[in-house]
Amino acid sequence: MLPLVPNQELPTQGPTVFKTERNQHEVRCGMCGRIIYVEEETFSFVSDAIEAGLDNPFRCALCKVEYDDLVYEG
């Protein structure tokens, strides 16, 4: 874990649990329902899938790890 230093910029690449300049769009994880903030491209992808009648394809980082473990274990 990175130590927090006052006035240090937090990394904001990828989805975040808080709004950032880049991640302004709220989506819910399709597995656990956790609210995550994403950029426009990911938001559009998730919205288009849901509007097409598909299950929510978005997975938060914790659920991705869990899902990958389940797939690996077969």
Side-chain angles (χ1 to χ4, degrees):
M1 181 172 195
L2 296 174
L4 291 179
V5 178
N7 299 324
Q8 178 182 355
E9 296 259 346
L10 294 173
T12 56
Q13 287 294 90
T16 55
V17 295
F18 49 88
K19 276 189 180 183
T20 66
E21 187 175 323
R22 181 172 187 245
N23 297 335
Q24 291 289 311
H25 303 281
E26 180 182 296
V27 296
R28 288 196 176 267
C29 174
M31 291 182 76
C32 70
R34 183 177 287 119
I35 295 174
I36 304 292
Y37 294 91
V38 297
E39 82 288 347
E40 178 69 33
E41 184 178 339
T42 300
F43 180 75
S44 293
F45 173 75
V46 172
S47 296
D48 290 347
I50 292 171
E51 286 176 14
L54 303 173
D55 289 338
N56 180 351
F58 183 78
R59 304 287 181 265
C60 69
L62 295 173
C63 289
K64 278 184 186 178
V65 169
E66 183 178 322
Y67 179 79
D68 289 347
D69 288 346
L70 290 173
V71 169
Y72 178 75
E73 291 173 4

